[in-house]
Amino acid sequence: HVQLVESGGGSVQAGGSLGLSCAASGYTYSSYCMGWLRQAPGKEREGVATIDSDGSTSYADSVKGRFTISKDPTKNAVYLQMDSLTPEDTAMYYCAAHQSPGPCLVPTPRPELFSYRGQGTQVTVS
């Protein structure tokens, strides 16, 4: 049973930074595509970033140059460092996983390609 647990959300002023963490369990971590998704009130869920088993990454255009996805295989963890935050980044952020490279092979992260998602952590930028 795949479990993804996010942490690190909170409130920050525009221009500030936040780091999110995702603790993953229940699968062979190394073979999965991992990612972060977000959903703002009244908006559709969108892909933010992905990282594959080799460490290759992709980002939504809206966060390129500001957000960084990374992972620590020894801890089965995935991270999202968010810098230069704006109010438009306010959303619930979800850790996501898929048991094959598929979601990591497209140029822009697509939330519908992921099989698993955590409960989310709220990020508010004012």
Side-chain angles (χ1 to χ4, degrees):
H1 178 62
V2 175
Q3 282 194 308
L4 304 169
V5 180
E6 305 93 339
S7 61
S11 298
V12 65
Q13 291 189 335
S17 299
L18 273 178
L20 305 182
S21 299
C22 172
S25 63
Y27 62 91
T28 305
Y29 178 89
S30 61
S31 64
Y32 274 55
C33 168
M34 303 295 297
W36 287 93
L37 318 174
R38 69 184 181 184
Q39 188 166 18
K43 295 187 177 180
E44 292 186 355
R45 188 170 295 136
E46 63 173 335
V48 176
T50 66
I51 186 166
D52 71 8
S53 57
D54 293 329
S56 296
T57 59
S58 68
Y59 296 91
D61 288 342
S62 58
V63 307
K64 279 180 182 176
R66 301 188 299 120
F67 290 13
T68 303
I69 187 172
S70 62
K71 64 179 182 178
D72 185 345
T74 64
K75 297 181 180 179
N76 273 12
V78 180
Y79 308 100
L80 186 69
Q81 177 62 36
M82 305 182 293
D83 300 319
S84 302
L85 285 161
T86 74
E88 288 69 37
D89 296 315
T90 295
M92 185 71 78
Y93 283 72
Y94 301 90
C95 180
H98 190 72
Q99 62 269 41
S100 71
C104 286
L105 300 179
V106 295
T108 303
R110 291 169 53 186
E112 71 273 17
L113 297 181
F114 287 91
S115 298
Y116 305 101
R117 190 177 71 245
Q119 293 297 309
T121 185
Q122 178 67 37
V123 171
T124 303
V125 185
S126 60

